Amino acid sequence: MHIVVCIKQVPDSAQIRIHPVTNTIMRQGVPAIINPYDLFSLEEALRIKDRTGARVTVLTMGPPMAENSLRKALSFGADAAVLLTDRKFAGSDTLATSYALTSAIRKLAEEEPVDIVFCGKQTVDGDTAQVGPGIATRLGLQQLTYISSIDSVDTQAREIVVHRRSEGGVQVLKTALPCMITMLEGTNSIRFGSMDDMFRAARTPLRVWSKDDAAADETKVGLKGSPTVVSKVFVPKPKAEKAKFIEAEGGTADAFAAAAVEAIFAAQPKLSTDLLARAAQG
Amino acid sequence: MSEPSKPQGRKFQLPEHLKVYKDVWVIVEQERGQVHSVSLELLGEARKLADKLGVAVGAVVLGEAGPDLERICGDAFAYGADVVYRVADPVLKDYRTDPYCRVMTDVVNAYKPEIVLLGATTLGRDLAGAIATTLATGLTADCTELDIYMENRSLAATRPTFGGTLLCTIQTLAYRPQMATVRPRVMAMPERDDSRTGRVVDVFPALAEDSVITKVLSFIADRERNEAQLAFADIIVSGGKGLGKPENLKLVFDLAAVLGGEVGVTRPLIQAGWATADRQVGQTGKTVRPKLYIAAGISGAIQHRVGMEKSDLILAINTDKNAPIFDFAHLGIVGDALKILPALTDAFSRRLSVNRLAS
Ligand SMILES: Cc1cc2nc3c(=O)[nH]c(=O)nc-3n(C[C@H](O)[C@H](O)[C@H](O)COP(=O)(O)OP(=O)(O)OC[C@H]3O[C@@H](n4cnc5c(N)ncnc54)[C@H](O)[C@@H]3O)c2cc1C
Ligand SMILES: Nc1ncnc2c1ncn2[C@@H]1O[C@H](COP(=O)(O)O)[C@@H](O)[C@H]1O
């Protein structure tokens, strides 16, 4: 078994601030982390490794500093890491990104066929949930998104059974390998790697691939390979009016509450009739 | 802000052969005979876009033949479709990526819509990513606003970016169709008009169950359906970190109970385990648009705001008069939520019971 886990290094968005004057993103000092959603998929891959002895390769496309995220993934227990990095990839949208990653996965598969590709449910910076389905479609993998549990992986019969979240319930799906899986958040939590893994993570040579190493077609990556164009970036419009502050005589909670009820019913007469009608019934 | 300069080597002109792409489509999501409300919301939005472009609204309805599918085709007309592409096949009974993607790719290639919209649901996101790849076109996820730039007849799809702190407008200029997904409740539900009818185009896909590798073994329905309740509630009382302790969330539940409303929370409360994830309102939770939204002890961070700012009336209770929530709430009380909430519960129950006696 060979499993590839696609991870993305993202800025820790909880710490992103917008410059109040220039409206630009202040990235300085914002730490980079592995996209949190990817860790649920990595952990699931490592669990399959525990059960079946599968090899786990982590793959990322990004700038050279994304090496940190790959080393982190190795320290959790991944076996090998590939950094796909090339100026030509800059500006890739999801279609171009899934193409570039697919090229690298094809290359990896030449060495050892790939049985499962894991992606995160979505990224916290791109937040599109499109790259996983893009990879699955390009490679002709069975697509299993929003997976809440993997019930069984039969390496002999090459079958997998999963629970997939859908509207109003869970689908139990059975399919054949190879497949692409995105895990739902909260389904597991990433392990601490062993001491051995930590040492290995520091020593393991990273494979650093360019566009040519991955045999990616130049016209299909970067801005050129991206059908979408960002035409505008802007700060959400502030509302013209601020809230009307409710005044209350004496400032007691009861006085505020009474004034608020009046203000609500004055602003929404329909609401008051609805509520009164409901109260009258029950 | 200045527009980014156009990068070298990219195509911005629509190639001649793509100019035949016309009409605005919605892929209508139905599962087990239930149409997803986001599809109806999108039909309303498609109607506006199509009217601007002077083209028709198409609805693609996929599933197993039967009364449910017929009813859903009728719904599609009632909510704004001019043409329904009806794809009835037993293989399409339950959603699976591969057959749905194959059918949709063929239907798009045959009838050539210029815009294709889907809900940003587990089905829509799964399918949209696959179709956009087979069609090699642009797809913009989780849009909060859709418009047409008339100068080049292109779809301007606006979505939050960088954790919701900024918005960006994305276009697909040289490829067709232009695709976008929109989350439930972001667009208003259009009025149903049962007098509307239109043309049905039957599509007969060449699908064989043997050719589909993924099988649905079973479906386990959720026991609780909190999700839908929150998204469609008329009244929501939400609590944030300002409540201080998990026990105090009870004050929010009490007020919601008197109002017959639902309870929402901010993300930190989910992370601290005070409530289950289905109650989270915001960018990574639910989008809601109730008639009344009461926010208690909530600062009004942009990620929360995007999930609730379309509420008809927002009352915010916060001790800090400079809290950002007062920038977009309609009514504000500067005060301690722990005292105001019980007082509101009292005041409302008194108001409502007085009326019961009177009526
Ligand atoms: C990628 C990303 C996605 C996110 N998605 C979401 C999301 O979907 N939904 C969401 O809600 N958040 C989300 N967040 C988190 C968001 O940025 C804020 O951190 C969060 O909304 C703040 O929650 P809060 O208002 O409860 O807490 P705080 O920001 O801590 O605000 C507490 C407020 O309570 C007030 N207060 C204190 N005591 C009292 C009192 N006794 N009475 C009244 N008021 C009092 C304070 O003045 C303060 O304004 C996301 C963040 C990121 C980075
Ligand atoms: N640059 C990248 N390198 C590796 N994996 C990626 C990259 N971008 C996206 N992915 C994978 O695709 C998933 C979905 O990303 P997105 O479509 O951006 O929400 C992520 O969780 C990753 O698993």
Side-chain angles (χ1 to χ4, degrees):
Chain A
M1 279 275 278
H2 185 197
I3 302 174
V4 174
V5 184
C6 295
I7 63 172
K8 186 179 181 190
Q9 189 171 60
V10 297
D12 189 348
S13 60
Q15 305 197 29
I16 287 186
R17 295 285 174 272
I18 302 298
H19 192 283
V21 178
T22 58
N23 282 339
T24 50
I25 297 147
M26 303 196 291
R27 282 171 182 273
Q28 295 95 317
V30 176
I33 54 172
I34 298 179
N35 175 39
Y37 292 104
D38 298 350
L39 295 177
F40 302 111
S41 287
L42 177 57
E43 172 61 26
E44 211 57 37
L46 294 172
R47 289 183 185 185
I48 297 176
K49 173 183 169 177
D50 293 342
R51 295 207 296 271
T52 67
R55 242 174 83 75
V56 174
T57 302
V58 282
L59 166 66
T60 195
M61 178 179 107
M65 73 166 210
E67 169 176 352
N68 297 337
S69 290
L70 290 174
R71 295 230 178 261
K72 188 96 197 157
L74 289 169
S75 81
F76 292 136
D79 299 291
V82 176
L83 171 62
L84 189 59
T85 187
D86 198 308
R87 284 243 166 97
K88 292 264 162 43
F89 294 141
S92 293
D93 72 358
T94 54
L95 194 75
T97 300
S98 72
Y99 171 77
L101 289 169
T102 297
S103 307
I105 296 169
R106 285 214 166 94
K107 201 79 190 168
L108 282 167
E110 282 172 15
E111 296 165 11
E112 184 180 356
V114 174
D115 302 290
I116 304 178
V117 175
F118 274 102
C119 285
K121 187 186 96 170
Q122 64 202 66
T123 51
V124 294
D125 60 343
D127 197 18
T128 74
Q130 279 158 211
V131 170
I135 292 171
T137 305
R138 290 178 187 282
L139 290 171
L141 309 176
Q142 295 305 305
Q143 179 170 317
L144 303 170
T145 55
Y146 303 101
I147 299 307
S148 54
S149 68
I150 297 181
D151 301 345
S152 65
V153 182
D154 184 335
T155 51
Q156 291 305 307
R158 297 187 55 73
E159 273 175 0
I160 181 166
V161 177
V162 298
H163 278 51
R164 172 178 191 270
R165 161 101 332 244
S166 72
E167 299 308 313
V170 170
Q171 283 184 316
V172 183
L173 299 174
K174 175 171 158 178
T175 194
L177 303 179
C179 64
M180 190 287 302
I181 300 176
T182 74
M183 295 301 296
L184 216 55
E185 66 272 26
T187 44
N188 59 39
S189 54
I190 189 74
R191 62 193 60 195
F192 286 109
S194 66
M195 238 15 194
D196 275 357
D197 288 327
M198 310 257 181
F199 287 128
R200 200 174 40 78
R203 283 198 316 262
T204 305
L206 286 190
R207 309 178 73 180
V208 181
W209 288 357
S210 68
K211 166 183 79 60
D212 293 336
D213 294 327
D217 176 347
E218 182 167 343
T219 63
K220 293 187 176 174
V221 297
L223 288 170
K224 264 189 210 166
S226 300
T228 59
V229 182
V230 176
S231 61
K232 203 165 81 177
V233 179
F234 58 103
V235 182
K237 261 200 288 323
K239 260 188 60 181
E241 278 173 69
K242 286 193 73 154
K244 184 170 146 264
F245 285 107
I246 290 171
E247 313 275 343
E249 227 170 290
T252 64
D254 285 333
F256 269 120
V261 171
E262 294 316 317
I264 288 170
F265 286 163
Q268 285 275 67
K270 178 85 169 53
L271 190 70
S272 79
T273 35
D274 288 356
L275 272 174
L276 292 169
R278 192 157 25 162
Q281 277 167 18
Chain B
M1 199 166 202
S2 65
E3 308 248 318
S5 59
K6 290 186 175 172
Q8 296 286 308
R10 304 188 70 188
K11 289 176 281 177
F12 290 97
Q13 285 300 318
L14 190 62
E16 208 53 42
H17 72 281
L18 294 180
K19 290 191 174 151
V20 296
Y21 281 69
K22 285 271 147 56
D23 297 351
V24 181
W25 280 15
V26 175
I27 301 180
V28 176
E29 289 177 39
Q30 66 90 17
E31 289 185 272
R32 290 167 304 285
Q34 292 288 316
V35 63
H36 199 298
S37 61
V38 70
S39 303
L40 308 178
E41 293 160 11
L42 283 177
L43 282 166
E45 200 60 21
R47 186 73 264 161
K48 288 183 218 160
L49 300 176
D51 289 347
K52 248 187 165 172
L53 288 163
V55 298
V57 172
V60 189
V61 179
L62 305 98
E64 188 184 34
D68 284 338
L69 205 71
E70 291 321 301
R71 179 174 40 78
I72 293 165
C73 292
D75 289 342
F77 288 126
Y79 284 93
D82 301 307
V83 185
V84 168
Y85 298 87
R86 180 171 57 193
V87 197
D89 192 295
V91 175
L92 301 174
K93 175 171 177 281
D94 295 307
Y95 175 70
R96 287 170 294 174
T97 318
D98 168 48
Y100 270 65
C101 180
R102 274 193 270 159
V103 166
M104 280 312 310
T105 306
D106 289 348
V107 181
V108 166
N109 284 334
Y111 296 96
K112 302 186 174 21
E114 59 195 300
I115 294 172
V116 176
L117 306 177
L118 296 93
T121 57
T122 54
L123 189 164
R125 282 180 145 203
D126 183 279
L127 182 59
I131 304 174
T133 308
T134 58
L135 296 171
T137 191
L139 165 61
T140 306
D142 285 14
C143 301
T144 52
E145 222 182 293
L146 299 174
D147 198 5
I148 302 290
Y149 283 174
M150 282 316 282
E151 63 272 22
N152 53 8
R153 284 180 69 91
S154 73
L155 178 70
T158 299
R159 72 185 302 261
T161 181
F162 289 102
T165 40
L166 291 176
L167 293 172
C168 66
T169 301
I170 294 178
Q171 290 176 276
T172 297
L173 297 172
Y175 301 78
R176 289 293 179 271
Q178 309 159 84
M179 294 182 61
T181 63
V182 178
R183 289 174 31 162
R185 304 299 276 157
V186 167
M187 302 300 177
M189 179 65 80
E191 286 289 326
R192 184 184 176 99
D193 177 357
D194 281 307
S195 68
R196 291 192 86 261
T197 55
R199 189 161 59 90
V200 174
V201 175
D202 273 306
V203 177
F204 299 100
L207 286 173
E209 183 55 43
D210 290 349
S211 71
V212 184
I213 295 172
T214 300
K215 305 291 177 195
V216 181
L217 299 184
S218 62
F219 180 80
I220 308 163
D222 291 339
R223 258 174 298 145
E224 278 195 68
R225 296 234 50 198
N226 255 339
E227 309 212 356
Q229 284 166 17
L230 185 61
F232 293 94
D234 276 345
I235 296 179
I236 296 175
V237 186
S238 283
K241 255 170 77 182
L243 295 175
K245 299 191 291 220
E247 300 87 85
N248 293 336
L249 199 57
K250 180 170 182 299
L251 304 177
V252 170
F253 274 93
D254 290 346
L255 178 55
V258 164
L259 293 170
E262 278 292 324
V263 171
V265 295
T266 59
R267 190 165 82 158
L269 270 54
I270 305 287
Q271 287 167 330
W274 295 18
T276 48
D278 52 1
R279 295 210 181 268
Q280 182 184 323
V281 173
Q283 189 204 342
T284 46
K286 300 260 139 46
T287 302
V288 299
R289 40 192 319 149
K291 295 188 177 120
L292 174 62
Y293 190 92
I294 300 179
I298 294 177
S299 61
I302 184 69
Q303 293 89 355
H304 188 74
R305 175 178 170 174
V306 295
M308 45 66 82
E309 66 184 336
K310 289 192 173 156
S311 307
D312 292 345
L313 184 65
I314 300 169
L315 165 67
I317 308 162
N318 199 303
T319 41
D320 173 7
K321 70 173 190 326
N322 295 316
I325 191 135
F326 291 129
D327 294 342
F328 60 94
H330 305 93
L331 297 171
I333 297 179
V334 181
D336 183 352
L338 304 183
K339 299 203 177 93
I340 305 284
L341 282 171
L344 273 174
T345 306
D346 267 3
F348 271 114
S349 54
R350 235 173 301 123
R351 241 323 256 278
L352 298 174
S353 64
V354 162
N355 192 261
R356 183 159 6 161
L357 295 179
S359 65

